[in-house]
């Protein structure tokens, strides 16, 4: 029997490879003869570059950048020399993980550091740049990134143009956007882990702003500010991606990459799956096991477990999910033949995170028992 284990990370607990290794250890206790292949997954969020690095020949490049609140840092991205491709995660510079809870400030948080990494990759001669869009601390619709790449955002005072400051509310005065001249971008792929538009009830601000520190008052201010930016982009750059699925990813960075850089926005899961040859691996397997920290409605929006399950279904393979927690309000029966949850009435979420390795091995044993019973 061939079993493929293809989970995403359990955020705040274990990386995708560690998750897979612990599941495999549990499986082997019950099914010692099984041939097990481990394929760590990602969907455009944190860990995307590492997953691709494990599957492709590449090297890590260091460059200078700034975090979401302007502190200098050394950032890293993956360089694939054979194709001259750079794979970077926006969270490497502007990730929520870099900020303490008290530092979260969506009116100030900027993607300028993301633009610095993109600029470094371009200077190396990149012919293609993949940008993972998960885990952002920002809600600036890529304004900071565009500034770092040479775009200017102008207002008027006494009939004279002046450049707006970095604070997002300043954008309400925006009159004109000026591009970086004859500069040409390489092919850019924006790998989104959600399908939200830029604006509206499902948009970047209303859906994700509060978790980045936005108050109810700030949410309304940010929504108006991003709408002003979208209107000006539509007029001056003659493109309008505000309603594209994924435009709202990473606080609107998906919108910015399409608008300012001519990027193609793709499902982050599809980008990773293509890069590591996931479909061929699923074809070779008899059983597929996936998982993530929390299975909820966002899973269905393009997260890795749903993508793995859909490919497994396409090729008629049984597929199981091992997860930290399950949101019972959603129905997952069409995706999975079974779901195994680490959190239980006897184990809280906090305890499950601490005991994740042990609980994953136990879940692996349970899946193996289920596989054995189906075989009989």
């Amino acid at each position: 029997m061939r079993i493929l284990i293809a989970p995403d990370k359990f955020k705040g607990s274990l990386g995708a490879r560690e998750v897979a290794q612990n599941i495999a250890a549990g499986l082997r206790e019950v099914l010692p003869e099984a041939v097990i292949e481990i394929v760590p997954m990602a969907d455009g969020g944190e860990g995307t570059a590492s997953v691709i690095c494990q599957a492709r020949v590449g090297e890590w490049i260091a460059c200078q950048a700034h975090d979401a609140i302007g502190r200098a840092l050394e950032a890293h991205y993956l360089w694939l020399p054979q194709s001259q491709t750079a794979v970077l995660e926006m969270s490497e510079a502007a990730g929520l993980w870099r900020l303490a809870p008290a530092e979260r400030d969506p009116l100030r948080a900027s993607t300028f550091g993301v633009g610095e990494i993109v600029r470094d990759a371009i200077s190396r001669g990149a012919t293609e740049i993949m940008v993972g869009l998960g885990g952002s601390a920002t809600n600036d619709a890529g304004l900071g990134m565009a500034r770092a790449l040479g775009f200017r955002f102008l207002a008027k005072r006494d009939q004279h143009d002046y450049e707006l400051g970095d604070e997002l509310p300043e954008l309400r005065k925006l009159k004109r956007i000026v591009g970086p001249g004859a500069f040409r971008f390489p092919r850019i792929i924006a790998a989104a882990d959600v399908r939200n538009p830029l604006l509206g009830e499902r948009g970047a601000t209303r859906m994700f702003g509060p978790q980045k520190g936005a108050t109810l008052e700030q949410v309304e201010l940010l929504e108006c500010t991003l709408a002003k930016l979208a209107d000006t982009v539509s007029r001056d750059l003659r493109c309008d991606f505000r309603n594209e699925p994924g435009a709202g990813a990473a606080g609107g960075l998906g919108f910015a990459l399409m608008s300012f850089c001519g990027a193609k926005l793709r499902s982050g899961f599809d980008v990773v799956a293509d890069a590591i040859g996931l479909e061929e691996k699923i074809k070779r397997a008899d059983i597929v096991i996936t998982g993530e920290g929390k299975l909820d409605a966002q899973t269905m929006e393009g997260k890795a477990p749903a993508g793995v399950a859909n490919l497994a279904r396409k090729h008629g393979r049984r597929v199981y999910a091992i997860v930290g927690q399950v949101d019972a309000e959603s129905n997952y029966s069409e995706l999975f033949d079974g779901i195994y949850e680490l959190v239980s009435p006897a184990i809280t979420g906090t305890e499950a995170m601490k005991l994740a390795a042990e609980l994953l091995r136990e879940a692996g044993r349970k899946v193996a028992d289920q596989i054995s019973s189906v075989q009989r």
Side-chain angles (χ1 to χ4, degrees):
M1 180 184 295
R2 299 184 67 91
I3 302 174
L4 179 71
I5 306 176
D8 201 346
K9 63 188 176 298
F10 277 40
K11 195 169 185 177
S13 182
L14 297 174
R17 179 165 289 278
E18 295 170 294
V19 171
Q21 288 171 336
N22 280 289
I23 293 172
L27 287 168
R28 290 191 181 103
E29 292 181 30
V30 180
L31 299 170
E33 302 300 318
V35 177
I36 297 174
E37 183 176 8
I38 288 174
V39 183
M41 286 302 304
D43 50 26
E46 299 101 322
T48 294
S50 293
V51 166
I52 294 175
C53 184
Q54 290 166 21
R56 305 269 292 271
V57 177
E59 59 182 303
W60 291 101
I61 303 298
C63 69
Q64 298 304 304
H66 292 82
D67 73 6
I69 57 175
R71 294 177 298 209
L73 56 85
E74 182 176 86
H76 298 84
Y77 62 92
L78 177 63
W79 180 255
L80 304 174
Q82 288 187 333
S83 58
Q84 291 188 294
T85 297
V87 183
L88 64 96
E89 298 169 13
M90 74 80 58
S91 62
E92 177 68 7
L96 196 62
W97 69 275
R98 286 197 177 274
L99 305 185
E103 295 175 326
R104 296 176 184 177
D105 183 358
L107 297 184
R108 176 187 173 197
S110 171
T111 51
F112 190 88
V114 181
E116 291 176 303
I117 304 175
V118 170
R119 200 170 61 202
D120 191 84
I122 292 171
S123 73
R124 289 185 66 84
T127 58
E128 179 178 82
I129 300 174
M130 299 181 187
V131 185
L133 297 184
S136 72
T138 54
N139 201 101
D140 71 344
L143 173 68
M145 180 203 69
R147 286 186 193 278
L149 295 174
F151 286 86
R152 299 173 64 216
F153 298 84
L154 306 175
K156 269 197 181 298
R157 183 189 297 124
D158 298 328
Q159 303 304 310
H160 296 288
D161 288 340
Y162 70 95
E163 197 148 0
L164 290 172
D166 294 331
E167 295 287 327
L168 273 176
E170 285 281 286
L171 270 184
R172 290 177 296 176
K173 306 171 187 174
L174 180 64
K175 296 296 184 184
R176 191 159 61 98
I177 299 172
V178 178
F183 182 81
R184 295 187 65 182
F185 290 99
R187 182 171 185 255
I188 295 180
I189 298 172
D193 61 344
V194 296
R195 293 178 55 79
N196 302 74
L198 179 67
L199 304 169
E201 292 304 314
R202 293 185 61 255
T205 305
R206 291 200 167 99
M207 283 294 290
F208 306 112
Q211 72 190 40
K212 300 172 187 181
T215 64
L216 288 176
E217 184 181 45
Q218 288 174 333
V219 163
E220 296 309 314
L221 174 59
L222 286 165
E223 183 77 1
C224 292
T225 300
L226 267 56
K228 173 70 171 180
L229 176 62
D231 289 341
T232 311
V233 165
S234 177
R235 186 195 68 212
D236 292 356
L237 305 185
R238 299 184 180 181
C239 59
D240 193 343
F241 295 106
R242 74 185 80 192
N243 294 321
E244 287 290 313
L253 186 60
F255 168 83
L257 285 164
M258 290 186 285
S259 301
F260 298 112
C261 306
K264 179 180 180 181
L265 197 145
R266 293 186 62 199
S267 153
F269 171 79
D270 289 346
V271 170
V272 173
D274 289 349
I276 68 176
L278 179 65
E279 188 162 7
E280 289 303 313
K281 297 177 190 297
I282 286 176
K283 286 180 184 178
R284 295 197 298 265
D286 301 302
I287 302 289
V288 177
I289 300 172
T290 186
E292 65 177 343
K294 187 172 184 180
L295 195 64
D296 57 21
Q298 284 194 30
T299 303
M300 319 297 279
E301 292 276 355
K303 297 291 188 179
V308 171
N310 284 324
L311 280 179
R313 291 292 192 223
K314 175 181 174 181
H315 296 287
R317 304 300 190 261
R318 277 183 289 153
V319 57
Y320 299 93
I322 296 176
V323 301
Q325 283 183 286
V326 177
D327 175 7
E329 293 184 6
S330 298
N331 183 0
Y332 312 99
S333 59
E334 292 186 6
L335 283 178
F336 306 110
D337 292 285
I339 299 173
Y340 298 81
E341 187 177 9
L342 304 192
V343 173
S344 69
I347 301 173
T348 67
T350 301
E351 291 170 335
M353 290 179 72
K354 292 178 181 177
L355 300 171
E358 177 184 335
L359 294 173
L360 285 165
R361 290 193 293 272
E362 181 182 338
R365 290 191 291 270
K366 290 179 180 178
V367 174
D369 288 335
Q370 174 66 16
I371 293 169
S372 298
S373 69
V374 170
Q375 282 186 311
R376 290 196 295 268

